[in-house]
Every structure is written in C-alpha cells, then in structure tokens.
Amino acid sequence: MFPLVDRIESGASEDSMATQRLTKQNAAMISAAVALRADRNADALLLLLDGSTDWKRISELTEANENVVIVAVDTIEDLDGAAEAGLKPLALNKEKAPLLERLQEALLEAAADELIKTNGEVVAVYSGFQQGRLDSISHLQLDERMRRFTVRDLQTLESSVPLKTIKAVVDLASQIGREGREGKAVGTMFVVGDHRRVLEHASDSGADPFRGYNKKHRNILDPKVQEDAKEIAQLDGAFVVTSDGIIERSRQMLEVSHEDLKMTKGLGSRHWAAAAITRKTKAVSVVVSQSTGTVRLYQNGFLILQIVPMDKAIKWQEFAFEPPPQSADEN
C-alpha cells in the first residue's frame, strides 16, 4: 500500500471511551507528531481518533491555522466543532473496522477531497493497541495509487445524472474493487441513469434481493444500502440505479448488441455490456473488474475514466511490545 518511513510507538490504553480524552499522554503524542511533521516537512498531520475531543485545544497544539491538520473519526456527529476550530474533518463510518482499514480509509478520503497530495507525505498519530490512548506515530510516504476519482474528474462527464449519485456509485465500486468480499475478489456493474430505457434491455438473472423494498431502503447514498449492495455484488448481474440514487433492480442481465464497439483487448463480457448499454441509452456504466479490481466508467459507448486500486495486500511491520506501567495522569 505505502511504505513506512518512520514509526514511533509507546504506551497502552485504558477502557474504551465515548470521547477521546485529551490527557497529558495524548497531548504529548500529538506534540511529538507535530515536531515530526515539521522535521520531515510532511504535507499534513492526520489524527485518527476514537471520538470527539477538545477541538479548540487540538487546533492550538497542532497550529492548525498554519498547517493542514486532518482529524478523522467514525461518525460525523463526533466532528461537531472541528471545522470551526480550523481543522479538516473526515467521517469514516468504519466504527468496527480494524485499525489499518480505518487508517487506509482516512488517507483515501483525504486524497479524494484533495486535502493531501496523492504522492505526498503524512504524519499520522493514532491508538495502535487499544482505544482512548494515543500511542503510535507513523510517517507515511503516499503513492499515486492512492488516487480516487475526484469531483473534478467526474465533472468532465456530460450527464444528466447528478454528481453526488455518480460519486457515491464510484466510491462504492472502488471499495468493492479494493476490498472484495470475505477475502474473495468481486466483479460487478452499476448502470446509472435513464433506468427505464436500460430496463428495456435487461432481464432477471435470479431473485432480486432489493425487490419489494421501499425507496428509503434502496438509496445507494445510504451506507447501510451500500453494505447490502456489496453482498449482492457477489451474485451475477448488474445493478440498475436511477439518477437520484435508487437501486431500481439488481441481478440484471443486459441484452444489447456489441457491434461496432471498439474495446481494449482483454476486457471481458461485463465491460462490453457496460459500454454497449451506454451507447443505446443515456446511462453511465461503472464496472469493477474481478481480476484486477480496476473501476472503469463508460459513457456513449466509450471508456471515459478508470482507476486502478492500490495494492490489496497490506503488510504492517511486526514488533514486540510490552505496555509500560500506568501513570498517575491517566487516572
């Protein structure tokens, strides 16, 4: 994923807590990270936290008015007041995810929002062993493969589909391509917009798990619906999504002629169908390659954008660690 240039660890944790207490230990770790960022001339400081905290004090400790300081937590509610304090807030929606996945998601979101350069350097501080007590600092050299589709990329599409819908589908497709499901690679397709005409060229490939649910439970902008879609993506067939983000059908087989299409050699039938349906309709197709995890966008029968995922295999340096005794200031 990205090489570790420097890593500093110390400490253990108490019981998990709803908020991130700004103890002497946590403040000291943040100050150490600030010093490392300055020494390395890194592009940004990332604080991966377990909940809300004293954002004003964090801003003072990190000199946020002069530096890019990103604060990442799991829920948007815990970020209340962070932006007003001069910090760059990120909501991860990864509460039960492992540390590495949360850190990776924070870096990806920061790069997608253009808070950091995709080939830049970041100093990150986080709770490496238990919740609540900051104990680890990493100096990270990022890679161009960190790049996600950005709003700027998607604005090049001349489509009647709202930008937020396409971005939500692309982000979901990127997650599927990067993560797969239950350790297995997954390939799938989303056809977005002009859904009535798309369905004229589609037929069921099996029972549709979304059939019968109201629109609220089929809205692809909802994180819970996205998780459901990840499960269904393991099954055959495409998702047909309306312009406003409602999954109209899933598990659809597209029946459309491929004649006169010009495609890159080596792409499978899913990509041919994706390109062909966008030539017959005003839809945009988003395809995840099962073999590589690459995400491709098709419009008017042509490949418009593509993104290659970062390395899927993530390795973290192993080391021995014995927690020091609890200090009085942690009580």
Side-chain angles (χ1 to χ4, degrees), residues 198-258:
V198 170
L199 289 174
E200 292 175 2
H201 303 277
S203 61
D204 294 336
S205 67
D208 182 355
F210 279 112
R211 190 182 296 274
Y213 286 89
N214 63 37
K215 290 184 177 181
K216 178 181 177 181
H217 296 106
R218 292 186 284 122
N219 191 332
I220 207 163
L221 303 180
D222 185 337
K224 293 181 180 179
V225 176
Q226 292 175 12
E227 289 301 313
D228 291 339
K230 288 180 183 179
E231 292 291 339
I232 297 170
Q234 301 175 84
L235 305 174
D236 292 334
F239 294 88
V240 177
V241 183
T242 68
S243 294
D244 55 356
I246 305 302
I247 299 177
E248 192 68 22
R249 301 278 178 84
S250 66
R251 304 201 66 192
Q252 296 297 295
M253 299 301 293
L254 300 181
E255 302 167 354
V256 59
S257 173
H258 301 163

Side-chain angles (χ1 to χ4, degrees), residues 173 176-182 184-188 229-235 270 288-291 293 312:
I176 293 171
R178 187 173 67 251
E179 302 167 6
R181 205 65 177 165
E182 298 180 352
K184 297 180 180 179
V186 173
T188 192
K230 288 180 183 179
E231 292 291 339
I232 297 170
Q234 301 175 84
L235 305 174
R270 183 180 289 119
V288 181
S289 171
Q290 183 172 354
S291 59
K312 295 181 181 179

Side-chain angles (χ1 to χ4, degrees), residues 62-265:
T62 58
E63 301 177 346
N65 291 332
E66 300 178 9
N67 303 295
V68 176
V69 180
I70 304 162
V71 289
V73 300
D74 290 310
T75 65
I76 194 168
E77 291 80 10
D78 284 339
L79 288 167
D80 187 30
E84 290 76 6
L87 305 166
K88 308 297 184 184
L90 286 180
L92 304 179
N93 297 311
K94 291 278 185 180
E95 187 174 359
K96 297 182 180 180
L99 167 64
L100 288 184
E101 186 174 334
R102 293 177 70 236
L103 180 58
Q104 173 180 294
E105 183 68 14
L107 293 169
L108 280 167
E109 289 292 343
D113 291 345
E114 300 183 347
L115 299 177
I116 56 177
K117 295 184 292 188
T118 53
N119 60 347
E121 298 181 20
V122 175
V123 171
V125 58
Y126 48 92
S127 303
F129 301 97
Q130 293 182 12
Q131 289 181 311
R133 189 172 190 254
L134 299 176
D135 52 39
S136 301
I137 300 174
S138 292
H139 176 226
L140 306 172
Q141 175 68 57
L142 306 186
D143 189 293
E144 282 290 351
R145 288 170 294 181
M146 290 288 296
R147 183 180 180 278
R148 272 189 179 176
F149 286 123
T150 65
V151 170
R152 186 180 303 168
D153 293 320
L154 296 176
Q155 284 173 339
T156 64
L157 292 173
E158 295 181 0
S159 172
S160 59
V161 180
L163 192 62
K164 68 177 183 179
T165 300
I166 296 181
K167 187 176 187 301
V169 172
V170 169
D171 283 346
L172 175 58
S174 297
Q175 290 176 37
I176 293 171
R178 187 173 67 251
E179 302 167 6
R181 205 65 177 165
E182 298 180 352
K184 297 180 180 179
V186 173
T188 192
M189 181 190 347
F190 299 86
V191 186
V192 189
D194 202 8
H195 67 280
R196 290 185 176 84
R197 289 190 63 196
V198 170
L199 289 174
E200 292 175 2
H201 303 277
S203 61
D204 294 336
S205 67
D208 182 355
F210 279 112
R211 190 182 296 274
Y213 286 89
N214 63 37
K215 290 184 177 181
K216 178 181 177 181
H217 296 106
R218 292 186 284 122
N219 191 332
I220 207 163
L221 303 180
D222 185 337
K224 293 181 180 179
V225 176
Q226 292 175 12
E227 289 301 313
D228 291 339
K230 288 180 183 179
E231 292 291 339
I232 297 170
Q234 301 175 84
L235 305 174
D236 292 334
F239 294 88
V240 177
V241 183
T242 68
S243 294
D244 55 356
I246 305 302
I247 299 177
E248 192 68 22
R249 301 278 178 84
S250 66
R251 304 201 66 192
Q252 296 297 295
M253 299 301 293
L254 300 181
E255 302 167 354
V256 59
S257 173
H258 301 163
E259 292 180 5
D260 300 326
L261 279 179
K262 295 181 180 179
M263 299 280 287
T264 303
K265 291 183 179 180

